[in-house]
Amino acid sequence: MSERSEAEIALANRQFCESWLDEDQPITDARPRGQDLGAMPIGSGGGVVLRFLAASVNARSVVEIGTGAGVSGTWLLRGMDEDGVLTTIDVEAAHQQIAKQTFAAAGFAGHKVRLITGQALEVLPRLSDGAYDLVFIDAAKKEYADYLAEAMRLLRPGGIVAIDNALWHGQVADPTSRDEATIAIRDLLRRVRDDERLVPLLLPSGDGLLAAVVKTPVGSG
Ligand SMILES: C[S@@+](CC[C@H](N)C(=O)[O-])C[C@H]1O[C@@H](n2cnc3c(N)ncnc32)[C@H](O)[C@@H]1O
């Protein structure tokens, strides 16, 4: 066996995990479109986690904040129940037009996807309390704490909140990084970790995926 440093092994493991499951054509086609739009799609490692989480709670109602070109939405739909509906919000109608094409290419057309164009913090208050199985957050970093508060209202007990870019390109772990997005994400990590209503998990997949299950209150069934 060759002598490898811990850093080399960690990198090799990471690359192996990120490419362990191949992405198919609807997603590989959408990826460069998202990048061209400046709506960076979730990595394949993170996408696999989203599909797993959606399947683990038999998700029928999912909210996505930040549609982009539809990469994360496609992964979520692939884990959701067949009769599930993805409600996906983005402030850019042009991004949602591309996402619509991605969803159609992946076999999810019409009633499976509810696209809402608008500022997330104006749209979210219109959605029903406790009606959702999973909320995925991937939009304006400085609004993450507000998205989390909305997610807590929208999720049923046992539901899951998942948040992309939880490691923000290595900046979160670097104590010298103090830009606005990094500070907002550190604040969010603290809120999720310290919230007694949540069971949290931080994964290094992609750019970092933070997830948490909403505990079912004791004695509620
Ligand atoms: C990183 S991209 C989302 C990528 C997508 N989740 C995927 O994996 O394919 C972020 C998206 O959030 C949208 N966005 C940014 N700020 C927003 C806001 N305040 N309200 C709603 N959408 C917003 C952007 O237009 C962009 O499409």
Side-chain angles (χ1 to χ4, degrees), residues 38-42 64-73 89-92 95 118-121 136 138-141 143 147 164-165:
M40 193 55 78
I42 194 163
E64 176 180 59
I65 309 169
T67 314
V71 171
S72 49
I89 303 163
D90 203 295
V91 71
E92 298 287 348
H95 295 191
Q119 288 286 345
L121 293 178
F136 173 56
D138 190 15
K141 308 306 158 203
E143 296 181 350
Y147 299 158
D164 195 26
N165 306 112

Side-chain angles (χ1 to χ4, degrees), residues 83-138:
D83 58 353
V85 174
L86 173 72
T87 299
T88 181
I89 303 163
D90 203 295
V91 71
E92 298 287 348
H95 295 191
Q96 292 194 316
Q97 276 311 315
I98 301 284
K100 217 169 164 182
Q101 292 168 20
T102 304
F103 297 141
F108 302 109
H111 62 283
K112 298 278 309 168
V113 183
R114 179 165 64 138
L115 291 149
I116 305 179
T117 310
Q119 288 286 345
L121 293 178
E122 288 171 16
V123 174
L124 290 165
R126 307 204 302 255
L127 306 182
S128 304
D129 291 10
Y132 293 89
D133 304 301
L134 194 154
V135 175
F136 173 56
I137 297 173
D138 190 15

Side-chain angles (χ1 to χ4, degrees), residues 12-200:
N13 283 346
R14 183 182 170 82
Q15 285 168 344
F16 184 83
C17 290
E18 290 292 321
S19 58
W20 177 59
L21 279 177
D22 284 339
E23 291 186 323
D24 62 1
Q25 197 157 353
I27 291 186
T28 54
D29 285 350
R31 211 167 259 300
R33 291 186 196 145
Q35 285 160 356
D36 290 348
L37 292 167
M40 193 55 78
I42 194 163
S44 66
V48 170
V49 176
L50 290 184
R51 183 179 62 170
F52 176 89
L53 293 175
S56 71
V57 290
N58 296 319
R60 298 185 69 236
S61 298
V62 173
V63 175
E64 176 180 59
I65 309 169
T67 314
V71 171
S72 49
T74 300
W75 279 111
L76 285 164
L77 283 158
R78 287 178 169 167
M80 291 167 62
D81 268 13
E82 260 178 44
D83 58 353
V85 174
L86 173 72
T87 299
T88 181
I89 303 163
D90 203 295
V91 71
E92 298 287 348
H95 295 191
Q96 292 194 316
Q97 276 311 315
I98 301 284
K100 217 169 164 182
Q101 292 168 20
T102 304
F103 297 141
F108 302 109
H111 62 283
K112 298 278 309 168
V113 183
R114 179 165 64 138
L115 291 149
I116 305 179
T117 310
Q119 288 286 345
L121 293 178
E122 288 171 16
V123 174
L124 290 165
R126 307 204 302 255
L127 306 182
S128 304
D129 291 10
Y132 293 89
D133 304 301
L134 194 154
V135 175
F136 173 56
I137 297 173
D138 190 15
K141 308 306 158 203
K142 63 179 182 351
E143 296 181 350
Y144 267 22
D146 296 319
Y147 299 158
L148 176 67
E150 285 294 331
M152 295 302 290
R153 182 183 63 76
L154 296 171
L155 286 166
R156 64 162 170 86
I160 291 179
V161 59
I163 302 147
D164 195 26
N165 306 112
L167 298 174
W168 198 230
H169 315 297
Q171 313 246 47
V172 167
D174 176 356
T176 64
S177 292
R178 313 211 113 265
D179 60 283
E180 194 183 9
T182 304
I183 289 170
I185 293 169
R186 285 196 191 117
D187 171 58
L188 178 88
L189 282 161
R190 251 190 315 271
R191 283 173 193 264
V192 170
R193 184 192 59 198
D194 296 345
D195 191 325
E196 292 187 351
R197 299 167 297 172
L198 292 172
V199 181

